[in-house]
Every structure is written in C-alpha cells, then in structure tokens.
C-alpha cells in the first residue's frame, strides 16, 4: 500500500511552506508529494499569501527533492492549452529525473475561473475539450523522436509539432484520472489512465465506480489490472483521543464525522480503516490529504505507526 501526501495550498501556503512539507514527506519515507491545482481558496480559509502555480511549484520541488514522486490531484484542463501544458509537464519530469505523475481533470470550480478571467465551458463542451487534451498531451509525449504530431479536433488543432521535449519517463509519465461520472469518465480512464483515483467518497460509491472503470477497460480490450486504484482521504491521526480531537478542531471538523468520512483516530484505527478500503475496493494507494501544513508531527506519526503495518 503506497501512502502519498496530498496538499491544498490554495487554502493558504507559500512555496517555502510546500517545500518544507515535501522535504518532510521525503525524509519520512512516503511514496510521493502531491498538490492540488487551484487558484482560489475555498470555504473560510484566508488563502494568504495567495495561490501558487502547481507546475511552477513542482518544478522547484523537482530540484529540491531527490526521491519522492511529484504530481497533481488534479491539473485543470481549463487552465492551460494542451500543447504548452505537455511541454511544462515533460520539462518538470526531466528536471526531476523522471518522478512526475500527471493527474488531469476537466476543471470545475467556477469561482476561480471568474476570479482570474478563465473560461469554464458548459459540462459537455468541457468534457469534449478534456478528451481532446488527453489525446493531444499523451500523443505529443509518445510521438517517436524525429517524428511530428498533428491533431485536428473540434476544439484544438496542431500541425506537424516536433512534439518536444520528451519526458524523462518513457513512453510518458503516468496519467491519473478520477471522478464520479458514470459514463464518460470511466471511458476516458479506460483509454488513457494508468491510475484511477476517487477523492473523498465512501466505500460503496468507490467500489461501484471502480467497477465501471473495469468494465469500460474490458469493453475496449484493455486489461483492467493495468489501471491502479487509489483514493484520497483527509487525515486526522493522533496518539490519543485528545490529539485526534485537536487535529479535527484545527480543520473545523467533528471527530465522528472525520472518522466516518476520512482516516481519523488512533494509528490502529486508521490501519483497520485502510484495510477495509483495500478489501472492498482493491485500492493499492492512498493519498493522505494533509490540510494543516504546519502539522509535520502527524506526518511523522503516520509514517512511524501506520505505514509499517500496511506492508
């Protein structure tokens, strides 16, 4: 079971804050450090000092870490043109020595689009564009060196692109797709995903969606086992009830609610909960949403008392 640290810096974090957490993530032995791709805070957080760009952040971390995988849950297709995005991700992959993973979604948060002058198309068009972007980005990465790539879609057109630079990973960085859509999302995952991720859902909903992805893969003749299964869940782990309550309070959550909807409680409780997830959904990876980026003690606690029991 891979454990990865997942952060939400739009809620209020500088690059230095993220660097500190990323280095602690690496030192504690976690598999990866991931971040969201958002330009506006959510809820009651102040969001200060303001947003940090996901791929600029990951470029910096690529040079200041040496082992952990680096990626996004998830890059928004509405933020960037697919051609330049393919270049950015490939460059960061090379800067990191081949440690990038590309989480990619259609985009959804209307307020941040309005705040920064970004277009959020209607849902059908958004998914049409997203599907074309997936084809373009992976197509550019996988075009043989010395060949060119062209694409003629309804929304994007590329003509004889040199398809450079190539990522360090061959043929491409792993692609992570997620979400609860019942038709187009599983179909796109079957075509493009190396990993399918479900964020902040319950066991039954997750199991049903993983089954849809499996069926979609089988329908196109792909082995469903090629698509790794993962979930993202908020964490609130403590050595005592008081410590769990304190961590829940910092997040503005009730302990019982956090236990029901995340990974909260003692290390033993969390090990048991992850075991339930593994048994009922077949997941082999968990993204631990660490919302309090100053709480490196919790990060170390999970690494010391949860991770070793999951082998």
């Amino acid at each position: 079971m891979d454990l990865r640290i997942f952060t939400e810096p739009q809620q209020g974090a500088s690059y230095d804050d993220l660097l500190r957490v990323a280095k602690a993530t690496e030192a504690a032995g976690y598999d990866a450090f991931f971040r969201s791709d958002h330009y506006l805070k959510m809820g009651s957080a102040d969001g200060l000092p303001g947003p940090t760009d996901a791929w600029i952040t990951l470029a910096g971390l690529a040079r200041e870490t040496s082992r952990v995988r680096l990626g996004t849950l998830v890059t928004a297709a509405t933020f960037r043109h697919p051609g330049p995005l393919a270049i950015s991700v490939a460059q960061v992959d090379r800067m990191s020595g081949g440690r990038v993973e590309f989480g990619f979604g259609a985009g959804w948060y209307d307020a941040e689009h309005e705040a920064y002058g970004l277009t959020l198309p209607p849902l059908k068009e958004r998914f049409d564009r997203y599907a074309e972007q997936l084809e373009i980005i992976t197509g550019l990465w996988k075009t043989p060196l010395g060949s060119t790539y062209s694409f003629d879609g309804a929304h994007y057109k590329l003509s004889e692109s040199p398809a450079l630079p190539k990522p360090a990973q061959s043929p491409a960085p792993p692609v992570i797709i997620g979400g609860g859509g019942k038709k187009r999302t599983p179909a796109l995952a079957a075509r493009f995903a190396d990993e399918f991720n479900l964020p902040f859902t319950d066991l039954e909903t997750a199991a049903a969606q993983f089954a849809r992805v499996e069926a979609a893969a089988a329908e196109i003749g792909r082995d469903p086992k090629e698509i790794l299964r993962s979930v993202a869940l908020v964490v609130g782990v403590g050595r005592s009830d008081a410590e769990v309550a304190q961590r829940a309070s910092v997040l503005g959550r009730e302990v019982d609610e956090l236990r029901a909807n995340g990974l909260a409680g003692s290390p033993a409780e969390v090990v048991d909960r992850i075991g339930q997830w593994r048994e009922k959904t077949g997941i082999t990876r968990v993204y631990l949403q660490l919302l309090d980026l100053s709480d490196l003690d919790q990060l170390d606690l999970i690494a010391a008392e949860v991770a070793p029991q999951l082998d």
Side-chain angles (χ1 to χ4, degrees), residues 27-82:
Y30 288 93
D31 179 61
F33 174 88
F34 270 58
R35 60 156 292 162
S36 60
D37 184 25
H38 284 297
Y39 290 139
L40 190 69
K41 73 179 184 70
M42 302 170 192
S44 60
D46 61 25
L48 296 175
T52 50
D53 182 85
W55 287 101
I56 291 176
T57 296
L58 294 175
L61 297 180
R63 308 302 286 183
E64 298 196 73
T65 58
S66 61
R67 181 190 58 79
V68 288
R69 309 286 293 175
L70 300 166
T72 52
L73 282 183
V74 290
T75 292
T78 51
F79 287 178
R80 305 167 184 89
H81 191 283

Side-chain angles (χ1 to χ4, degrees), residues 27 33 43 50 63 83 86-87 108 116-117 153 193 233 235 246 262 266 271 298:
F33 174 88
R63 308 302 286 183
I87 291 172
W108 63 273
Y116 287 96
L233 296 165
V235 290
Q246 188 273 331
S266 68
V271 168
Q298 180 178 199

Side-chain angles (χ1 to χ4, degrees), residues 131-132 134-136 138 142 151 175 177 184-194 213 216-217 220 222 226-227:
E132 288 191 15
L134 277 164
E135 190 161 338
I136 290 165
T138 57
K142 294 178 181 180
F151 181 85
V175 173
I177 291 175
R184 296 195 71 178
T185 297
L188 288 171
R191 287 183 61 198
F192 295 105
D194 299 287
V213 173
I220 64 170
R222 184 180 180 191
E226 293 178 0
I227 305 173

Side-chain angles (χ1 to χ4, degrees), residues 17 54 77 118 124 138 154 158 210-211 234 275 278 288:
D17 295 327
L118 300 165
K124 182 184 181 304
T138 57
L158 286 74
F210 285 132
V234 63
R278 175 159 45 189
L288 306 173

Side-chain angles (χ1 to χ4, degrees), residues 198-210 230-233 259-262 273 276-277 280-281 283:
L198 281 169
F200 319 118
T201 189
D202 59 84
L203 276 164
E204 290 71 24
T205 301
Q209 185 68 340
F210 285 132
S230 67
V231 293
L233 296 165
R259 275 194 168 99
N261 298 314
R273 186 64 172 160
Q276 293 172 28
W277 272 96
K280 295 182 179 180
T281 67
I283 62 165

Side-chain angles (χ1 to χ4, degrees), residues 4 15 19 22-23 25-27 30-34 55 57-72 89-103 166-170 172-176 195 285 287:
R4 297 181 156 190
Y15 172 75
L19 175 60
K23 286 188 169 182
T25 297
E26 184 163 81
Y30 288 93
D31 179 61
F33 174 88
F34 270 58
W55 287 101
T57 296
L58 294 175
L61 297 180
R63 308 302 286 183
E64 298 196 73
T65 58
S66 61
R67 181 190 58 79
V68 288
R69 309 286 293 175
L70 300 166
T72 52
V89 178
Q91 182 179 355
V92 177
D93 194 46
R94 295 184 73 89
M95 291 170 70
S96 70
R99 291 184 285 128
V100 158
E101 305 201 2
F102 182 55
K166 296 301 179 200
Q169 297 173 88
S170 181
V175 173
I176 305 166
E195 175 181 340
R285 179 171 292 160
Y287 293 81

